[in-house]
């Protein structure tokens, strides 16, 4: 459907905006839907805090502790930012 395509396009835009920051914080070569905290050695608990702080600085959103605990994959993180920016958190 058109709505689904629009959401997918917007999620790609969010990935494009987040990726450079995440790659810099995590010191990794790419940040895409395959990146998870479990599969990425550089994504430890300290870098997770730095990652979320960087996102809060880049976007006008605040990530609560409960959400932070769940945002351990690139996909979850990007979808959370997408929903937060749309006001659907």
């Amino acid at each position: 459907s058109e709505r689904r395509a629009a959401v997918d396009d917007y999620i790609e835009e969010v990935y494009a905006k987040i990726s450079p920051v995440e790659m810099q914080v995590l010191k990794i070569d790419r940040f895409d839907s395959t990146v998870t905290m479990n599969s990425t050695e550089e994504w430890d608990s300290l870098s997770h805090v730095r990652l979320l702080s960087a996102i809060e600085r880049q976007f006008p959103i605040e990530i609560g502790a409960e959400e932070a605990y769940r945002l351990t994959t690139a996909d979850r993180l990007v979808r959370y930012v997408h929903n937060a920016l749309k006001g659907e958190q």
Side-chain angles (χ1 to χ4, degrees):
S1 76
E2 284 184 30
R3 174 157 164 63
R4 175 83 178 151
V7 168
D8 289 346
D9 287 347
Y10 190 72
I11 287 174
E12 287 303 314
E13 282 181 39
V14 175
Y15 261 109
K17 291 177 182 175
I18 289 179
S19 290
V21 174
E22 309 315 334
M23 288 164 44
Q24 181 180 10
V25 170
L26 296 176
K27 297 174 178 51
I28 56 176
D29 296 330
R30 65 174 172 65
F31 186 80
D32 60 25
S33 62
T34 66
V35 177
T36 70
M37 196 170 183
N38 288 336
S39 70
T40 307
E41 186 178 328
E42 297 85 355
W43 192 347
D44 59 18
S45 57
L46 179 58
S47 62
H48 188 63
V49 171
R50 291 187 0 246
L51 200 63
L52 299 181
S53 295
I55 288 172
E56 288 178 329
R57 283 192 304 274
Q58 183 174 0
F59 298 96
I61 64 172
E62 189 172 314
I63 301 170
E66 187 176 316
E67 290 86 9
Y69 185 73
R70 293 193 319 250
L71 301 177
T72 57
T73 71
D75 197 52
R76 284 185 197 155
L77 194 54
V78 167
R79 288 182 183 279
Y80 177 83
V81 170
H82 167 258
N83 290 335
L85 293 173
K86 292 278 196 186
E88 300 171 3
Q89 220 170 280

